[in-house]
Amino acid sequence: MSSKSVLIKPSLQMRMSFIFLLLLGIIVVVTIYFVQQATYKHARAQLLSHIQTSAGVVQDNVEGRASALDNGMATLAKDFSMKQLIATAKNDQRSLGSAMSNYQSRLGADIYWVLDKDFTPLIAAQSPFANSKQVVPAFSKATLHWFTYQGRNYLMRSIPVRFVETSAQINAWVVMGIDAKKLFTPHLVDLTDMQITLFGGNASVLLGATPETHFVVGSRQGEIAETRGLHSLPVNSTSIIYSAFELGTWQGESAFIVLSMDEDDAFLSNESLIGQLIFILLAAAALGLLGATLLSREITKPLHKLIDAARRMRAGENVDSFPNANTREVETLSSAFSDMQLGIQDREAQIHQLAYFDELTHIPNRIQFSNHIRGMIRQTPECELIVLMIDVDRFKEINDTLGHDLGDELLIAIAKRLHNHTQNKGFCARLGGDEYAWVGLQEVDTRPQDVAQNLLSVFEQPFKIENLVLDVDCSMGIALYPQHASSLQGLMQCADIAMYSCKEQHNPFALYNDALNKHSVVRLSLMSQLKGALAEGQLELHYQPKLTIANDKIETLECLIRWFHPEHGFVPPDDFIPLAEQTGAIRHVTQWALRTACEQLKQWRDKNIYFSVAVNISAIDLVDLSLPASINSLLNEFDLPPSSLTMEVTESAVMGDPENALKALNLLRDMGVSLSIDDFGTGYSSMAQLKKMPVDELKIDKAFVLALATNQEDRVMVKTLVSLARNLGLTTVAEGVEDLATLEFLIEVGCTKAQGYYMTKALRADELIAWYETFTEQGLASCSQ
């Protein structure tokens, strides 16, 4: 018995062991099957969420570049100087090309065209395309437009240019494009951890791709599924996982991006996980079926939580915590999920920083400033807002003189001061270049001018940049919502108009009003007509005599320009001369005035009437070293002595570029042309600089002369200026003489010449001769009649 039992017991143990092992094997197989299915579903959910997030990153990146290009082109389309260059492009393509090249560089564009209203090319970085009329207007729509041109593919944008902003007429088109290759960069691969390929024409055309894309031209493109979701495709001895998303249009058809990665990298290794599960189950065999069940539950529970977390992450939610587990693999997977969420958040933060903050100064940019105003209006439509447009004065001079690096440091310093000064008092941003902006709620007891005055205090202290101390001023334009405009675009335009108005008037700030806008439009129209007005004879020279006090004779006249417009009537010089100086058209005006004056002098001399005339020249004329040669040519053409001309130049014009100005003045002086400093006493020249100027005459500004009869301070100033000129060996001319008492005082202090309404206003050439004949007969007695 005992021996038989000994033989039987091992057999039963083996049977029981076999049954247990069979049961354990079944449990292992079943457990592995369900865990594998759950893990695979989880991995697919995680991958799909990652691809969708990556697609959003790519789309935001491309749309961000398109939006930045749109905003830069919008600024270009509103730029007065660019409009003038476009308007005169047929005569001066070089200037327009230079300006467009600068904008192309700043906006990161690779190609550009400027087309007139009939879509005829005015200037282009490349040769123009044939179907401009059909495609260019489409580029201005919000959809992303891809365009194949000369074998390369571009993201294209266009914007219409209106010379008059309020007009419905389109005067020109500006088109710019960014090479698709520059949009799909290794940096974008790092952000998304995916390879990106852009297709058009039902996957028949590869428009752009990251450097290591899984697709090449003609490589199984016809098998690509143009739908979202996960798809698998064998490519080049490996298998890839991909998904497609629509991204704009190409030649009237949809364009789409394909995000792909190797399948081996896409999913976790199921075999490794299964082997580890078998080891865990075998180690727990002693605990039996109950231990295996509990262990399986312990493993699958955190996986289900991770799947739930993946679904929430796919929906855009932020998962605060991930499940903990005793299993290292599940813990690693949970940690990987946490790291993935942190990576997504970090990439979103980087994209947000690039999209909404200025790259140089790190304060909000134009996009965020615009969104902030829209948000304020959307949340409280009845609110009242103050918008300030701030432009740094003379920044171009600083940039050109000190270099762009120091210029950037100054922009950063200004941004820091503005940001620190306006914390909790509004919202400030850098719009681009040397332009900043501020917006805040208008309080009941606060005037917009007080807000502007407060912001001006930011510029009271000089800026120390490296070892330089810079005094910087600014110009501010103020616009109010909803008083001046009810839309963001209108509000910004009003502030812009007010800013340029205060620049012209040399005021620190200006509040917008409708007259400024109307005035701006009229003057823009006048500038486009100025060149034609010269050819059509709308401009006239009038002559105002200068009385030589010592002998009561008229020997010198000043030429004054008068514009009689057929539609607007008399246009004051103060309305068109400053704009002509800004646009460079003043050179044409000066050349016309010099020729007309010389021609009139010749006619008078042929009649034995001998005058010398004074012609005003601007700062732009003064630094043009071709001016002396041009004057010499005119003198020879009309057979006039150099002494018959006097060039009047303001002291501020000389101070703008002293080196070149002094060269031009010395050339004119060597020719024998007389030189006069106009409006003396109102500029910012120093006595040391005045001593260097080769001038013959000081012209005392009428601001000191008009009230000489009653104002003691003006008397002291005029007497001092006359004495100064005498000690420097210069003659003096007092303008603005309107009564006998003023003239008698000028005689008393020894002024050389007098000019003003007391003698006569500026007259046409024929009127002047009639007046001169009367004056010759009656002398000063004729002036009091």
Side-chain angles (χ1 to χ4, degrees):
M1 279 289 295
S2 62
S3 62
K4 288 183 180 179
S5 62
V6 169
L7 293 173
I8 293 172
K9 285 180 180 178
S11 177
L12 291 174
Q13 290 174 356
M14 291 175 63
R15 183 180 296 176
M16 292 299 295
S17 298
F18 176 78
I19 294 172
F20 178 78
L21 290 173
L22 179 62
L23 180 62
L24 182 62
I26 294 172
I27 292 172
V28 169
V29 170
V30 172
T31 302
I32 289 174
Y33 173 79
F34 284 106
V35 171
Q36 184 183 33
Q37 291 298 313
T39 304
Y40 182 72
K41 287 176 65 178
H42 159 70
R44 286 184 66 86
Q46 175 189 359
L47 179 59
L48 185 58
S49 175
H50 174 65
I51 289 179
Q52 290 173 339
T53 302
S54 299
V57 169
V58 174
Q59 184 170 0
D60 288 347
N61 186 277
V62 175
E63 289 179 347
R65 288 296 300 276
S67 177
L69 188 58
D70 280 344
N71 290 330
M73 291 172 66
T75 300
L76 181 153
K78 294 179 181 179
D79 190 325
F80 172 79
S81 298
M82 286 300 302
K83 291 180 181 181
Q84 183 63 32
L85 289 175
I86 292 172
T88 59
K90 293 182 179 179
N91 298 322
D92 188 7
Q93 284 192 339
R94 183 176 181 182
S95 297
L96 177 58
S98 176
M100 285 300 301
S101 295
N102 289 336
Y103 264 102
Q104 177 189 9
S105 176
R106 275 190 285 173
L107 299 181
D110 299 288
I111 57 174
Y112 71 82
W113 294 271
V114 180
L115 313 174
D116 66 13
K117 63 182 179 181
D118 298 320
F119 299 94
T120 301
L122 297 176
I123 192 73
Q126 304 285 342
S127 59
F129 45 87
N131 56 342
S132 301
K133 189 172 184 180
Q134 287 74 33
V135 300
V136 167
F139 293 160
S140 65
K141 297 179 181 178
T143 307
L144 297 174
H145 299 277
W146 304 95
F147 186 77
T148 301
Y149 176 70
Q150 292 187 349
R152 302 181 73 88
N153 304 297
Y154 299 91
L155 173 63
M156 301 297 294
R157 307 301 299 164
S158 70
I159 189 168
V161 178
R162 294 178 172 88
F163 292 163
V164 179
E165 289 293 334
T166 57
S167 172
Q169 180 181 355
I170 296 174
N171 301 102
W173 288 87
V174 176
V175 186
M176 285 192 175
I178 301 174
D179 195 332
K181 290 185 177 180
K182 294 186 178 180
L183 297 174
F184 303 103
T185 61
H187 177 65
L188 200 56
V189 175
D190 294 337
L191 282 176
T192 60
D193 201 24
M194 306 286 290
Q195 295 296 330
I196 304 151
T197 313
L198 177 66
F199 287 107
N202 297 319
S204 62
V205 179
L206 192 150
L207 302 177
T210 50
E212 298 180 7
T213 178
H214 296 100
F215 301 97
V216 294
V217 177
S219 173
R220 309 193 69 172
Q221 292 176 217
E223 301 178 31
I224 299 173
E226 302 175 16
T227 59
R228 300 193 179 192
L230 296 180
H231 306 285
S232 179
L233 182 68
V235 173
N236 297 332
S237 73
T238 185
S239 183
I240 65 167
I241 298 296
Y242 72 93
S243 185
F245 300 84
E246 186 172 339
L247 188 66
T249 62
W250 175 80
Q251 295 188 356
E253 301 179 5
S254 295
F256 61 93
I257 53 169
V258 175
L259 285 80
S260 60
M261 65 188 306
D262 290 340
E263 190 171 19
D264 293 338
D265 298 330
F267 299 105
L268 296 172
S269 174
N270 289 329
E271 288 123 7
S272 175
L273 182 59
I274 291 170
Q276 293 174 14
L277 287 174
I278 293 174
F279 174 78
I280 293 171
L281 289 173
L282 290 175
L287 299 178
L289 184 60
L290 179 61
T293 303
L294 292 175
L295 182 59
S296 176
R297 184 178 300 172
E298 183 68 19
I299 293 172
T300 57
K301 185 177 180 180
L303 289 178
H304 285 298
K305 289 183 178 180
L306 284 174
I307 293 171
D308 180 64
R311 291 195 184 101
R312 291 166 60 192
M313 289 169 59
R314 181 179 61 189
E317 296 182 31
N318 182 47
V319 180
D320 296 328
S321 61
F322 292 90
N324 296 319
N326 295 324
T327 306
R328 184 180 62 187
E329 289 72 24
V330 178
E331 187 70 27
T332 302
L333 190 60
S334 181
S335 176
F337 266 80
S338 178
D339 292 342
M340 183 180 72
Q341 178 172 262
L342 291 175
I344 292 173
Q345 291 174 345
D346 183 59
R347 289 167 190 154
E348 288 179 346
Q350 291 180 36
I351 293 170
H352 184 272
Q353 180 72 24
L354 291 172
Y356 296 106
F357 288 86
D358 181 60
E359 188 174 0
L360 176 66
T361 62
H362 303 299
I363 66 173
N365 62 9
R366 180 184 289 271
I367 297 175
Q368 188 177 170
F369 184 75
S370 300
N371 290 344
H372 183 78
I373 294 179
R374 290 192 187 99
M376 295 176 75
I377 296 175
R378 184 171 54 251
Q379 293 174 9
T380 315
E382 68 278 5
C383 67
E384 296 183 356
L385 303 180
I386 302 175
V387 174
L388 289 177
M389 197 80 72
I390 306 166
D391 184 84
V392 180
D393 293 341
R394 298 184 300 107
F395 179 74
K396 185 178 184 301
E397 293 181 28
I398 296 173
N399 228 14
D400 293 343
T401 304
L402 303 181
H404 292 277
D405 290 341
L406 287 178
D408 288 347
E409 291 296 324
L410 176 60
L411 292 176
I412 293 170
I414 292 173
K416 287 181 179 178
R417 281 200 192 176
L418 284 172
H419 181 72
N420 294 334
H421 185 79
T422 59
Q423 280 184 342
N424 304 321
K425 298 178 183 178
F427 187 87
C428 73
R430 180 187 178 216
L431 304 185
D434 60 345
E435 283 191 358
Y436 299 83
W438 178 92
V439 63
L441 291 171
Q442 183 175 5
E443 299 177 1
V444 177
D445 56 346
T446 302
R447 298 187 314 146
Q449 294 89 337
D450 296 333
V451 175
Q453 192 65 50
N454 181 265
L455 275 178
L456 281 174
S457 63
V458 170
F459 296 87
E460 287 180 356
Q461 296 297 323
F463 291 84
K464 186 173 183 181
I465 308 298
E466 294 188 0
N467 295 323
L468 297 174
V469 177
L470 302 175
D471 284 313
V472 178
D473 297 318
C474 72
S475 301
M476 296 185 187
I478 311 170
L480 306 179
Y481 170 87
Q483 179 179 337
H484 295 146
S486 57
S487 67
L488 170 67
Q489 182 179 359
L491 199 59
M492 299 287 279
Q493 183 179 3
C494 290
D496 210 39
I497 290 171
M499 182 188 72
Y500 280 105
S501 169
C502 73
K503 271 187 173 296
E504 293 171 2
Q505 302 298 326
H506 302 290
N507 294 325
F509 58 81
L511 180 64
Y512 173 82
N513 60 70
D514 292 337
L516 289 179
N517 191 19
K518 181 179 179 182
H519 187 55
S520 178
V521 172
V522 170
R523 288 198 301 167
L524 180 62
S525 175
L526 288 175
M527 278 304 95
S528 65
Q529 300 174 45
L530 180 57
K531 197 169 182 180
L534 286 169
E536 294 171 8
Q538 295 177 19
L539 271 65
E540 296 179 0
L541 272 190
H542 286 199
Y543 303 88
Q544 188 172 36
K546 299 179 182 180
L547 174 67
T548 304
I549 295 176
N551 56 18
D552 289 341
K553 290 185 178 181
I554 302 298
E555 300 170 326
T556 308
L557 313 173
E558 180 180 3
C559 299
L560 299 172
I561 297 176
R562 299 291 183 260
W563 185 357
F564 296 95
H565 193 280
E567 179 182 352
H568 302 290
F570 174 66
V571 181
D574 289 345
D575 281 359
F576 70 89
I577 292 296
L579 276 179
E581 290 179 340
Q582 291 178 23
T583 60
I586 192 66
R587 290 190 176 95
H588 302 294
V589 176
T590 301
Q591 290 296 329
W592 171 85
L594 285 168
R595 171 167 287 277
T596 304
C598 289
E599 187 176 3
Q600 185 61 62
L601 281 177
K602 175 63 174 174
Q603 292 177 11
W604 283 335
R605 284 176 174 264
D606 290 341
K607 298 177 182 179
N608 294 320
I609 301 174
Y610 296 93
F611 293 124
S612 64
V613 295
V615 181
N616 291 280
I617 55 175
S618 69
I620 295 175
D621 298 314
L622 189 59
V623 297
D624 183 0
L625 295 181
S626 66
L627 179 66
S630 177
I631 292 174
N632 187 59
S633 176
L634 287 171
L635 293 173
N636 291 332
E637 179 182 348
F638 293 102
D639 192 23
L640 296 173
S643 59
S644 63
L645 282 182
T646 298
M647 297 294 104
E648 290 190 3
V649 57
T650 61
E651 52 179 334
S652 57
V654 177
M655 294 308 109
D657 187 353
E659 184 177 350
N660 284 327
L662 289 175
K663 285 181 181 178
L665 290 175
N666 279 309
L667 286 172
L668 290 170
R669 178 66 178 275
D670 292 342
M671 288 168 50
V673 174
S674 299
L675 302 173
S676 174
I677 293 293
D678 196 8
D679 299 338
F680 186 76
T682 61
Y684 52 88
S685 63
S686 67
M687 300 307 297
Q689 193 68 37
L690 176 62
K691 186 174 62 175
K692 298 177 184 178
M693 296 181 195
V695 296
D696 308 286
E697 180 181 83
L698 293 186
K699 195 169 185 182
I700 302 171
D701 188 74
K702 62 183 178 182
F704 302 114
V705 179
L706 289 173
L708 270 182
T710 57
N711 190 303
Q712 184 59 36
E713 292 180 355
D714 285 347
R715 286 172 169 255
V716 172
M717 179 61 74
V718 170
K719 186 175 182 180
T720 302
L721 291 176
V722 170
S723 177
L724 169 67
R726 186 186 302 116
N727 291 331
L728 291 174
L730 307 177
T731 60
T732 49
V733 178
E735 61 178 349
V737 178
E738 298 191 354
D739 51 56
L740 179 60
T742 299
L743 180 59
E744 289 174 344
F745 179 79
L746 294 173
I747 295 172
E748 178 185 337
V749 298
C751 183
T752 311
K753 296 178 183 179
Q755 177 183 351
Y757 274 33
Y758 179 69
M759 277 66 73
T760 181
K761 65 178 182 179
L763 303 170
R764 290 188 178 91
D766 55 343
E767 296 174 336
L768 176 75
I769 296 303
W771 175 89
Y772 178 69
E773 290 173 352
T774 302
F775 177 84
T776 303
E777 294 175 1
Q778 301 179 17
L780 284 175
S782 64
C783 299
S784 59
Q785 294 178 357

